[in-house]
């Protein structure tokens, strides 16, 4: 289905960072994007204004504008983001800090949940009906917390999605490399969550992946879980998966915009769910004119996948609870 010609407004929060810059470029290139807001802090690696100026020179009709927050001002995003967010159809949030040496998951959550909360409060005020794609780690905990924020504001928490597309992208590429099957024919669903053993690729449901041996599937399952570490190691600790994450974030963004434009698209995403007994879960989601239109069941699983599912759910339950507890502490401040 060809684009209708309608143009959408997109904002990338953290748009001057390692993920944000390439993600902003890919969204500026999307034919459905008419206006792109790039938001970041005044202390970002380069000024948001510089990223916007750079992208404004590419051969695409999208208008690119920068917005920044001077951290010395004492203001919060909600104080400065009205023009940036007003009229937005999609907000992508790769803001937040990466895990640093000596920082455990709880430390990361305590920092990034505050960053996400400040940005989501601005979204709740200025673009409450926009779809929001959260790339803020740990996604398994941050998404439930931000959905609770929207629920408390009387807004629809189904507008919030955790972007887990990179797990799918990696699984597809690894299967292609192992089997030689055409890339366009491979569609591995990755369900569960977006960290470690909560990541569950359903290789049995893809024709090419299903041809691999049991040992190969078990090894590839582990490789998808640990793929982020693979990149960090290759970068000698000087960076993480920024480029592939930007690619995956843009793929997610394109699916959401296509859906809003009337062309229903399916992607895996971490959302409010009744697919399992957990309130949040990653599975296939259909995006349409109303945003999330259907959250699909898991389908038939192999014995290996069924065993892994139980393991993933136990871990994910704790991480969901951690996010809600952390948000409860923040909301009392």
């Amino acid at each position: 289905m060809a684009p209708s010609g309608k143009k959408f407004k997109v904002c990338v929060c953290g748009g001057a960072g390692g993920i944000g810059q390439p993600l902003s470029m890919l969204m500026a290139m999307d034919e459905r994007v008419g206006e792109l807001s790039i938001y970041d802090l005044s202390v970002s690696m380069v000024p948001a204004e510089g990223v916007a100026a750079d992208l404004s020179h590419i051969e695409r009709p999208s208008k690119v504008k920068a917005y920044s927050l001077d951290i010395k001002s004492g203001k919060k995003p909600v104080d400065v983001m009205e023009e940036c967010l007003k009229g937005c159809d999609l907000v992508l949030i790769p803001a937040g800090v990466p895990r640093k040496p000596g920082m455990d998951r709880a430390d990361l959550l305590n920092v990034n949940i505050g960053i996400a909360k400040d940005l989501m409060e601005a979204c709740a005020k200025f673009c409450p009906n926009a779809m929001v794609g959260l790339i803020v780690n740990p996604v398994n905990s941050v998404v439930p917390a931000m959905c609770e924020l929207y629920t408390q504001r009387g807004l629809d928490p189904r507008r919030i999605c955790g972007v887990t597309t990179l797990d799918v992208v990696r699984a597809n590429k690894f299967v292609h490399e192992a089997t030689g099957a055409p890339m366009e024919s491979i569609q591995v669903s990755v369900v569960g969550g977006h960290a470690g053993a909560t990541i569950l690729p359903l290789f049995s449901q893809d024709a090419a992946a299903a041809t691999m041996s049991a040992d190969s599937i078990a090894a590839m399952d582990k490789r998808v879980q640990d793929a982020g570490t693979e990149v960090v190691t290759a970068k000698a600790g000087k960076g993480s998966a920024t480029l592939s994450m930007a690619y995956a974030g843009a793929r997610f963004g394109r699916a959401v915009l296509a859906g809003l434009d009337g062309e229903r698209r399916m992607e895996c995403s971490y959302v409010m769910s009744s697919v399992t007994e957990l309130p949040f879960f990653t599975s296939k989601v259909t995006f349409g004119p109303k945003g999330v239109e259907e959250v699909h069941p898991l389908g038939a699983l192999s014995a290996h996948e069924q065993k892994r599912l139980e393991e993933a759910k136990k871990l994910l339950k704790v991480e969901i609870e951690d996010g809600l507890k952390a948000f409860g502490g923040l909301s009392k401040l």
Side-chain angles (χ1 to χ4, degrees):
M1 180 177 174
S4 68
K6 181 179 179 181
K7 300 298 182 182
F8 297 92
K9 182 177 178 180
V10 176
C11 177
V12 179
C13 296
I19 297 170
Q21 287 193 52
L23 176 57
S24 295
M25 183 180 74
L26 292 169
M27 294 314 298
M29 294 171 65
D30 190 291
E31 58 190 334
R32 288 186 167 94
V33 176
E35 184 177 349
L36 178 66
S37 295
I38 297 175
Y39 168 86
D40 217 315
L41 301 177
S42 59
V43 293
S44 58
M45 54 192 296
V46 297
E49 291 77 9
V51 178
D54 203 352
L55 291 179
S56 70
H57 293 177
I58 66 174
E59 298 170 309
R60 288 294 188 274
S62 54
K63 297 178 181 179
V64 186
K65 189 168 182 179
Y67 302 87
S68 60
L69 171 63
D70 183 351
I71 60 171
K72 296 179 182 178
S73 69
K75 294 182 179 180
K76 291 189 172 185
V78 73
D79 300 319
V80 301
M81 292 187 74
E82 181 172 6
E83 181 184 339
C84 175
L85 292 174
K86 197 169 183 180
C88 273
D89 302 286
L90 170 65
V91 180
L92 297 169
I93 307 182
V97 301
R99 186 181 294 187
K100 299 174 183 176
M103 178 183 282
D104 63 18
R105 202 184 65 84
D107 295 329
L108 184 69
L109 173 60
N110 289 335
V111 173
N112 280 351
I113 198 171
I115 294 170
K117 178 176 179 285
D118 285 348
L119 291 168
M120 291 302 297
E121 285 180 336
C123 290
K125 183 172 182 179
F126 300 123
C127 58
N129 295 318
M131 292 297 296
V132 179
L134 285 170
I135 312 175
V136 184
N137 280 318
V139 166
N140 290 351
S141 300
V142 171
V143 169
M146 297 306 103
C147 286
E148 178 62 21
L149 185 153
Y150 262 38
T151 298
Q152 290 182 8
R153 300 291 193 280
L155 302 175
D156 184 0
R158 293 172 298 179
R159 310 304 289 180
I160 300 172
C161 302
V163 180
T164 63
T165 317
L166 182 53
D167 300 325
V168 174
V169 167
R170 286 167 167 163
N172 289 344
K173 183 62 178 288
F174 299 163
V175 169
H176 165 72
E177 291 175 336
T179 66
M183 190 75 72
E184 62 274 12
S185 71
I186 301 169
Q187 292 295 332
V188 180
S189 296
V190 182
V191 304
H194 186 54
T198 69
I199 299 170
L200 173 55
L202 302 183
F203 291 119
S204 70
Q205 296 181 6
D206 179 80
T211 65
M212 298 189 302
S213 69
D215 286 346
S216 296
I217 286 175
M220 192 172 290
D221 180 4
K222 192 71 168 68
R223 187 184 178 198
V224 173
Q225 295 174 46
D226 296 338
T229 302
E230 189 176 308
V231 175
V232 171
T233 300
K235 290 186 175 182
K238 297 178 181 178
S240 58
T242 53
L243 300 176
S244 53
M245 185 64 249
Y247 169 85
R251 171 173 155 166
F252 170 86
R254 286 194 298 269
V256 172
L257 294 181
L260 294 176
D261 201 26
E263 180 186 338
R264 286 173 172 79
R265 293 271 188 95
M266 192 182 297
E267 285 286 351
C268 291
S269 184
Y270 182 60
V271 296
M272 287 190 72
S273 173
S274 59
V275 166
T276 70
E277 65 273 22
L278 299 177
F280 297 89
F281 204 79
T282 300
S283 65
K284 287 181 179 177
V285 171
T286 295
F287 293 102
K290 296 179 181 178
V292 173
E293 295 203 339
E294 186 176 0
V295 179
H296 297 271
L298 302 183
L301 305 181
S302 69
H304 168 77
E305 290 161 356
Q306 188 61 55
K307 181 180 178 182
R308 282 272 290 108
L309 174 63
E310 296 309 312
E311 173 189 355
K313 287 193 295 186
K314 288 179 182 178
L315 295 169
L316 187 54
K317 181 177 185 292
V318 173
E319 294 184 17
I320 291 169
E321 291 171 350
D322 287 346
L324 293 174
K325 287 176 185 175
F327 176 73
L330 274 181
S331 63
K332 294 174 183 177
L333 296 178

